[in-house]
Amino acid sequence: MNVKLRVLTAGVLFFTGQVVFAQKDTTGSKKDKEQKIDEIVVLGYSKTSTKAKSSASSVTIGSETLENRPNISVLNSIQGTAPGIVANSASGSPGSGKFNIIIRGLSSLNGSTDPLYVIDGIITSGSQFRNLNPNDIDTFSILKDAQATAIYGNRAANGVVVITTKGGKFNSKLRISYDALTSFSVLPKTDYNMSSGQQLLQVQKNAAAGKGATMTQSQIDNFTTNTDWRNLFSRVGMSQQHTLSVSAGGENISNFVSLGYVDSEGNIRGTDFKRFTLRNNLNGKSSDGRLTFGAIVGLGFSKRNQLDDETNTAINANTVQNPLFGTVLSAPYLAAPTFSNGLGLFNQIGTASGNGNGAYILYDNINGGIRNQFTETSLTANVSANYKLTSDLSIGNRTGVDYKNYQRQFARAANGYLSLVVAAGQIQSDGKPAKYGGFEQFNTVNDLTINNTTNITYNHSFGDHTITAAAYLDYIKVNWQSYTQQQNGLDPLVWEFGAGTGYVPFNPATPNIYRPSASALKVTAGTLAYFGTLDYDYQGKYGVSGVIRRDGSYRFPKDNRWETFWSVAGRWNVDQESFMEGSGFNLLKLRASIGTTGNQNLFAAANNTNILTLGPVTYLDVNGTNTGYQSLPGYTLANLGNNTLKWEQVKQLDLGVDFNYKGIVEGTFDYYHKRTSRLFNFVPVTYVTGQGTLRGNNGVMDNKGVEGSLRVHVLRKGNTRLSVFANMGYNSNKIISMEANDLTDDAVDAVGGPANQWQLYPYLGVNPSNGEQLFLDKNGNVTQTPTAGDRRLTGKSPMPKYTGGFGFNFQHDGFFVDALFSYQKGGYIYDNLYSWVMNPSYAASGLNVSADLLNAWNPNNTNATVPGLSAVNATLSGQSDRFLFKSDFVRLKNVSVGYTFSKKILGNLPINSIKVFAQAENIYTFTGWKGFDVEPITTYSLNVYPNPKTYSLGVNVDF
């Protein structure tokens, strides 16, 4: 890496709790107040409105919040900035697609819960945006109620995110900006009180199992090896990002060009991310103003080295294949590794992966034993034009493509330990183990989405009345292809990752050892919709809006293929009434809406998967191949069809108020009731077909909540300004009805409770007489031997009920300080990793455990809170609430301190301004959670790549 590129960056972050608030002159003059009220609100299909005249519930986050943050994905930067939005990263691996955004609660039990993403008017197949430069974004708008989302009908059941990128301005001078940021990140620590080498040996001796049990007390007391595996598996990650942009505009043409580069090291060794982006946004108009047009092109290329667990869920709990366990479970009494590759380790331990040797295997995995490289090449492009046929009537079209090429190269290296162990277990025809191990796999995905929207719009004002009516035709076509090839058997003398060399030829004499494989999959999908919108305004006091949309999807049988969605909304601008004269309210608006949206996405999409390609023939009976009797090829029923399958439907009521009092206090509050009917669920059927269920519509679920945001401008005196803000969302999720409750698991969907509700029996503590665990059975009796039938519904789920953020912005002359806190409350997550380190059997097998086990019950310590190391019922805590913990937290999400050098200070330098700043991200978290990271909303805590603490320095230069 070129150290010269590690330039410091600067910038100022202005966090808002509701909409984009101007950060320029805020002296409180009437003109400034009016500008704030007339702010542009970005809605669907390139529609916009003013804050005063919008009847929708939406939030627009401005570029000031998104720029100059050390986050590869823009989604990481919106946590805590908007009410009613649960935004959390489930992985701190740079460039990871494991991110969740939930708008106003879960709207589906089994279908997709991701919002619809729209970039510059084009619906995108993406949901992670690793190839989108956050510095290129102008606004990030979240559409929440039916009035805002019904215009997107078939894919808007989970809300809509509309991203608008930056553009040039007409009649503007040439402007060149350079932004750079250098960051350092560290892995957070657990609060499990993990043992030192000596302490682990003592736990083993006390438990009479493991290496410590074979040592004398004197040997343990004088034992000195204490390897810091955290430093071996993790590192301080260094990152840099650079953006160069140029914009200019003439009378009829404006243009914006941006070039970006990111290089980010992950905190787990062996993980990293690099990205190049290029964007060109062109806008133009005719001399008479009747024709407006635009052309947008965004290119991105990224390459990341990632852990196998990123896409391989089969190793989530595997302590010899998942390096995420290395920093916690590696035994500190083991000496630091001395081998250079897996062959050296194999010669050292053979196939003995137990007795703590898993730590060495994990270390080999991240040092070349496992290679997993993912590249993404993306192109987003669209052209648009709008022509005014008359002063009131116009027609327009926007056509765009969203193309992504994913390539994943994965290998168990030729000299990787896991490869050598597998080879040792493969017997050739001569009775000897296979000479070569390892395999290399290539997977290529081509994903092309074409979106075409045509509209005709009528806008007319007469007297105090304004009417806007529009009709749209929207067509989406998806072509998706996937190709996979795998070569088994790699020769270490000539094999090189990704080069296609060192492949061992297939030998029919040993058909199960070096046999290559290949597969392919192709899906063509699409949707079609036509819809109309109507907006009416009277004197700026009263407004009515409506949408009706007819959607068609290929996913459903012919009779159910089309569905109608709609919304109606009204507003009353109370501040415009004569009786409000002198009240001080610059804005006081009441609004209400009701409407429906739909969900056609029957499945939740995995990373890098176009949601429209999943389940294309769910309503049909589908046969699949099967190897049956005497290993002969045959067929089996892969999918039991349902010709009554219908859309999920979401109906939502919203009541809201927006206000601005004297330009000092401004905010918004909403109440909503969102009901999902015809839930995608499994419907019980007879086993005559060999399957007991089929996918159908079964159940009703409600989300009810309140949300609000408030900003107070505390101080506006001269060049000194201080404002504070806060936002909060509360959501109650409840399953209203289902055909049958499936209560066979620890986390269930049951009528009367929230989705994914915990079903466990209560843990009461330790029996002081024998050290056994105590539980409560279904009859309320204390027992040491509970059964699965003793579990009871708890009313607790992983989803938090309260979410939000708060903070402040301070500015004095050129100096500024900004801070943002985010929080969540009301969720419960089962901490598997904590249960592992509190299990004596893990110590016996050579894995590290908590030093709290040194205080376990014994005859001389009968008041202990930790069960005895030899407790007979030690394994029964898995279905109890012993390790179920609140996921509540308050996090200092971002703090930024800096100074802006104005043109007045810079004098005759050819620079308009320079901003320098230092900032910290995820710097401190107030929580009772003991694990690495409380942010990911997940049922179980295993397999979490923690979000790091990040410290940054930077500079923004405007020429």
Side-chain angles (χ1 to χ4, degrees):
M1 185 179 300
N2 188 345
V3 178
K4 293 181 180 179
L5 287 178
R6 295 186 178 275
V7 183
L8 307 183
T9 344
V12 54
L13 302 179
F14 296 98
F15 300 99
T16 63
Q18 167 60 16
V19 300
V20 188
F21 293 105
Q23 297 298 331
K24 297 182 180 179
D25 185 14
T26 52
T27 59
S29 69
K30 182 178 179 181
K31 180 179 179 181
D32 291 326
K33 297 170 188 174
E34 290 175 350
Q35 286 177 340
K36 283 193 173 185
I37 298 168
D38 289 338
E39 255 178 78
I40 297 299
V41 177
V42 180
L43 301 173
Y45 287 91
S46 302
K47 289 182 61 178
T48 59
S49 179
T50 63
K51 181 68 176 175
K53 292 186 177 181
S54 172
S55 57
S57 177
S58 65
V59 180
T60 300
I61 302 167
S63 59
E64 295 86 356
T65 304
L66 309 175
E67 295 172 338
N68 300 311
R69 297 279 291 275
N71 300 316
I72 290 169
S73 171
V74 63
L75 302 181
N76 289 90
S77 299
I78 67 170
Q79 186 185 87
T81 61
I85 312 300
V86 177
N88 70 87
S89 172
S91 174
S93 178
S96 174
K98 294 182 177 180
F99 201 95
N100 298 314
I101 288 188
I102 306 295
I103 300 175
R104 291 185 168 180
L106 292 171
S107 296
S108 183
L109 293 178
N110 298 293
S112 171
T113 58
D114 289 333
L116 175 68
Y117 293 96
V118 182
I119 301 179
D120 291 322
I122 297 298
I123 292 174
T124 176
S125 64
S127 60
Q128 38 72 22
F129 307 115
R130 66 170 64 89
N131 272 18
L132 177 63
N133 186 348
N135 283 4
D136 288 345
I137 296 176
D138 188 31
T139 60
F140 186 102
S141 298
I142 303 167
L143 313 184
K144 298 186 289 185
D145 70 343
Q147 169 58 21
T149 60
I151 195 171
Y152 285 104
N154 67 354
R155 299 177 69 183
N158 304 310
V160 181
V161 172
V162 179
I163 297 173
T164 304
T165 58
K166 295 176 180 177
K169 297 181 179 180
F170 295 114
N171 298 310
S172 62
K173 296 180 180 180
L174 176 67
R175 178 184 176 186
I176 302 175
S177 298
Y178 173 68
D179 306 324
L181 188 72
T182 296
S183 304
F184 303 88
S185 61
V186 295
L187 199 71
K189 297 181 179 180
T190 68
D191 193 24
Y192 294 148
N193 188 26
M194 298 304 295
S195 297
S196 65
Q198 190 180 79
Q199 288 173 322
L200 178 56
L201 292 171
Q202 187 65 58
V203 171
Q204 292 175 333
K205 185 171 183 63
N206 294 349
K211 179 178 179 178
T214 65
M215 300 172 66
T216 66
Q217 189 61 51
S218 176
Q219 288 175 320
I220 293 176
D221 292 342
N222 292 289
F223 193 85
T224 57
T225 301
N226 189 35
T227 300
D228 185 354
W229 287 97
R230 175 183 170 88
N231 283 341
L232 291 171
F233 279 94
S234 68
R235 64 186 174 191
V236 174
M238 190 171 182
S239 304
Q240 58 174 320
Q241 59 187 52
H242 306 269
T243 301
L244 177 66
S245 63
V246 180
S247 64
E251 184 177 351
N252 298 317
I253 291 289
S254 68
N255 199 55
F256 171 85
V257 180
S258 169
L259 181 65
Y261 171 72
V262 170
D263 185 352
S264 179
E265 294 177 338
N267 292 116
I268 301 297
R269 295 182 186 275
T271 62
D272 57 50
F273 179 85
K274 291 182 175 65
R275 176 181 69 199
F276 296 90
T277 58
L278 173 65
R279 175 167 294 277
N280 190 91
N281 291 3
L282 172 71
N283 291 291
K285 60 182 179 179
S286 61
S287 299
D288 58 7
R290 299 182 69 176
L291 173 67
T292 58
F293 57 90
I296 296 175
V297 177
L299 296 172
F301 174 80
S302 61
K303 179 184 291 186
R304 65 188 302 254
N305 289 297
Q306 58 190 24
L307 300 180
D308 187 17
D309 80 293
E310 184 78 15
T311 53
N312 184 4
T313 58
I315 67 167
N316 284 1
N318 193 316
T319 58
V320 296
Q321 291 193 45
N322 193 338
L324 292 177
F325 297 126
T327 61
V328 176
L329 298 181
S330 299
Y333 61 62
L334 293 174
T338 57
F339 52 85
S340 59
N341 56 35
L343 180 60
L345 175 60
F346 186 79
N347 292 335
Q348 178 179 319
I349 67 173
T351 60
S353 61
N355 300 318
N357 287 332
Y360 293 134
I361 300 171
L362 294 179
Y363 185 75
D364 176 62
N365 289 350
I366 65 170
N367 283 279
I370 298 292
R371 296 293 305 274
N372 191 14
Q373 189 175 92
F374 181 85
T375 62
E376 176 181 335
T377 303
S378 61
L379 165 66
T380 57
N382 74 75
V383 292
S384 61
N386 190 83
Y387 185 75
K388 283 189 175 183
L389 299 172
T390 69
S391 59
D392 296 332
L393 188 65
S394 63
I395 59 172
N397 178 272
R398 183 184 294 270
T399 300
V401 297
D402 179 16
Y403 173 76
K404 293 181 175 64
N405 173 268
Y406 304 114
Q407 292 189 7
R408 177 176 177 260
Q409 300 176 25
F410 177 85
R412 281 190 176 179
N415 268 339
Y417 177 82
L418 293 177
S419 297
L420 298 172
V421 169
V422 172
Q426 292 179 323
I427 305 302
Q428 301 180 116
S429 56
D430 59 3
K432 297 180 180 180
K435 182 178 180 181
Y436 301 105
F439 68 86
E440 187 167 45
Q441 184 183 89
F442 297 87
N443 176 244
T444 300
V445 173
N446 292 309
D447 182 358
L448 174 64
T449 300
I450 301 173
N451 191 185
N452 181 280
T453 304
T454 302
N455 70 283
I456 182 168
T457 303
Y458 175 78
N459 184 281
H460 183 65
S461 297
F462 53 100
D464 295 328
H465 310 272
T466 299
I467 295 177
T468 302
Y472 295 79
L473 179 65
D474 185 23
Y475 174 70
I476 297 175
K477 185 72 172 181
V478 175
N479 290 281
W480 186 89
Q481 296 173 312
S482 174
Y483 307 97
T484 301
Q485 295 177 313
Q486 180 169 314
Q487 173 65 41
N488 295 299
L490 307 175
D491 184 343
L493 291 179
V494 290
W495 175 76
E496 184 177 347
F497 180 64
T501 58
Y503 293 165
V504 178
F506 173 68
N507 184 354
T510 55
N512 296 319
I513 297 182
Y514 303 128
R515 176 190 294 173
S517 63
S519 63
L521 182 63
K522 179 179 180 180
V523 178
T524 301
T527 63
L528 178 66
Y530 52 92
F531 56 99
T533 65
L534 177 66
D535 297 280
Y536 168 75
D537 175 75
Y538 176 71
Q539 290 188 338
K541 295 181 182 180
Y542 315 107
V544 178
S545 301
V547 175
I548 186 165
R549 174 167 171 141
R550 186 73 171 159
D551 266 296
S553 172
Y554 77 110
R555 272 206 177 99
F556 302 98
K558 186 176 180 180
D559 292 342
N560 299 331
R561 191 155 293 169
W562 288 88
E563 188 82 12
T564 301
F565 306 103
W566 56 271
S567 73
V568 292
R571 60 173 170 81
W572 176 25
N573 294 72
V574 183
D575 59 282
Q576 296 297 311
E577 299 289 354
S578 58
F579 59 80
M580 292 293 290
E581 285 284 342
S583 67
F585 278 96
N586 300 322
L587 173 67
L588 179 59
K589 180 183 64 178
L590 304 179
R591 50 183 166 76
S593 68
I594 188 171
T596 61
T597 49
N599 187 8
Q600 62 162 325
N601 298 321
L602 286 72
F603 301 88
N607 290 345
N608 316 313
T609 301
N610 189 329
I611 188 69
L612 276 178
T613 65
L614 300 180
V617 289
T618 300
Y619 66 94
L620 297 175
D621 292 333
V622 179
N623 290 326
T625 59
N626 182 39
T627 302
Y629 180 67
Q630 293 185 342
S631 298
L632 295 175
Y635 298 93
T636 184
L637 184 62
N639 183 76
L640 181 60
N642 179 6
N643 59 12
T644 65
L645 185 66
K646 296 181 179 180
W647 304 67
E648 268 187 349
Q649 186 181 83
V650 177
K651 188 175 184 179
Q652 184 174 186
L653 168 71
D654 185 276
L655 303 174
V657 57
D658 303 317
F659 60 90
N660 181 311
Y661 182 72
K662 293 185 176 180
I664 299 175
V665 181
E666 49 197 342
T668 181
F669 292 95
D670 283 84
Y671 164 80
Y672 62 87
H673 180 188
K674 186 167 65 169
R675 168 161 290 191
T676 306
S677 57
R678 305 193 309 226
L679 282 166
F680 293 141
N681 216 331
F682 292 98
V683 179
V685 294
T686 175
Y687 266 99
V688 172
T689 62
Q691 300 188 27
T693 61
L694 80 166
R695 187 172 287 272
N697 303 100
N698 172 15
V700 175
M701 181 170 63
D702 274 0
N703 285 280
K704 297 180 181 179
V706 293
E707 58 192 32
S709 64
L710 190 68
R711 176 175 283 271
V712 180
H713 300 278
V714 178
L715 178 63
R716 288 179 175 177
K717 185 176 182 180
N719 292 324
T720 303
R721 300 180 181 91
L722 171 66
S723 63
V724 296
F725 62 86
N727 70 78
M728 181 276 294
Y730 166 79
N731 183 78
S732 175
N733 174 269
K734 184 178 181 180
I735 298 173
I736 304 301
S737 65
M738 272 199 312
E739 199 166 317
N741 288 345
D742 183 357
L743 303 180
T744 59
D745 209 342
D746 296 339
V748 299
D749 296 324
V751 173
N756 209 20
Q757 178 181 188
W758 287 108
Q759 182 187 222
L760 305 166
Y761 42 74
Y763 172 74
L764 300 180
V766 180
N767 188 336
S769 64
N770 59 12
E772 297 289 322
Q773 297 182 95
L774 296 177
F775 306 95
L776 199 65
D777 69 13
K778 62 182 178 182
N779 298 316
N781 301 316
V782 178
T783 179
Q784 293 180 182
T785 57
T787 65
D790 291 318
R791 296 177 304 182
R792 73 284 314 274
L793 296 171
T794 63
K796 301 172 181 178
S797 82
M799 287 299 298
K801 292 185 176 181
Y802 299 90
T803 57
F806 58 91
F808 67 85
N809 306 127
F810 173 77
Q811 181 179 350
H812 176 71
D813 292 331
F815 176 75
F816 58 86
V817 181
D818 301 297
L820 170 68
F821 293 82
S822 62
Y823 66 87
Q824 70 179 37
K825 178 179 173 58
Y828 289 82
I829 295 175
Y830 195 92
D831 195 347
N832 296 74
L833 192 53
Y834 189 27
S835 73
W836 287 10
V837 302
M838 291 296 290
N839 190 335
S841 66
Y842 279 74
S845 63
L847 299 177
N848 200 14
V849 293
S850 171
D852 292 347
L853 292 180
L854 293 172
N855 298 317
W857 180 95
N858 62 58
N860 299 317
N861 185 25
T862 58
N863 293 322
T865 59
V866 178
L869 298 182
S870 59
V872 175
N873 67 358
T875 61
L876 295 179
S877 61
Q879 292 184 321
S880 79
D881 62 4
R882 179 183 175 189
F883 295 102
L884 184 68
F885 295 99
K886 294 180 179 179
S887 59
D888 301 351
F889 71 83
V890 176
R891 170 171 285 175
L892 179 51
K893 187 65 178 176
N894 186 277
V895 60
S896 177
V897 180
Y899 187 82
T900 302
F901 297 88
S902 65
K903 182 63 176 176
K904 181 179 179 180
I905 297 175
L906 297 173
N908 294 326
L909 291 176
I911 300 174
N912 292 324
S913 67
I914 299 177
K915 297 177 183 178
V916 294
F917 78 86
Q919 68 166 329
E921 191 100 358
N922 300 327
I923 185 62
Y924 191 80
T925 304
F926 304 87
T927 182
W929 182 257
K930 292 180 178 293
F932 275 117
D933 190 6
V934 68
E935 179 177 329
I937 297 177
T938 178
T939 309
Y940 299 99
S941 68
L942 290 181
N943 198 46
V944 173
Y945 191 128
N947 289 288
K949 299 179 179 181
T950 306
Y951 306 87
S952 306
L953 297 170
V955 62
N956 301 145
V957 184
D958 239 347
F959 297 94

